[in-house]
Amino acid sequence: MSSPTRVRTAAAPASRCPVCVRPVVPDADGTVRVVGLAPREAPRLWVWGPAVVHDECRYDVRTPLDDRTGYLPVEQRVRTAH
């Protein structure tokens, strides 16, 4: 899976999980999880996200597109700038 084109700086102090609103800190390997939504026809074209979330919060993410069909949840781990 390719990286989203506009990845937020995950290590920035303002990076907060949209689910629990706590700060997201990179793992020991320097990565964070980002999630989003993509259409089934083009899974690399993210239409919502990327949002930096905790591993345990990834199943509770709510988006404006939750009620629409045809979108797949996408996620990946990305290395932070620090």
Side-chain angles (χ1 to χ4, degrees):
M1 187 182 309
S2 66
S3 297
T5 57
R6 298 178 327 170
V7 174
R8 295 179 190 168
T9 305
S15 291
R16 297 199 180 271
C17 176
V19 176
C20 66
V21 195
R22 291 180 297 143
V24 177
V25 180
D27 288 345
D29 62 354
T31 61
V32 294
R33 181 174 304 278
V34 293
V35 297
L37 286 177
R40 288 185 197 280
E41 307 82 36
R44 292 185 181 178
L45 177 66
W46 291 32
V47 295
W48 181 87
V52 179
V53 297
H54 297 107
D55 288 342
E56 62 272 12
C57 293
R58 71 180 183 231
Y59 299 115
D60 297 325
V61 173
R62 299 290 172 245
T63 74
L65 301 171
D66 282 345
D67 295 333
R68 297 190 180 184
T69 59
Y71 293 99
L72 297 171
V74 289
E75 63 179 61
Q76 69 183 106
R77 297 205 57 86
V78 294
R79 188 162 306 282
T80 60
H82 290 60

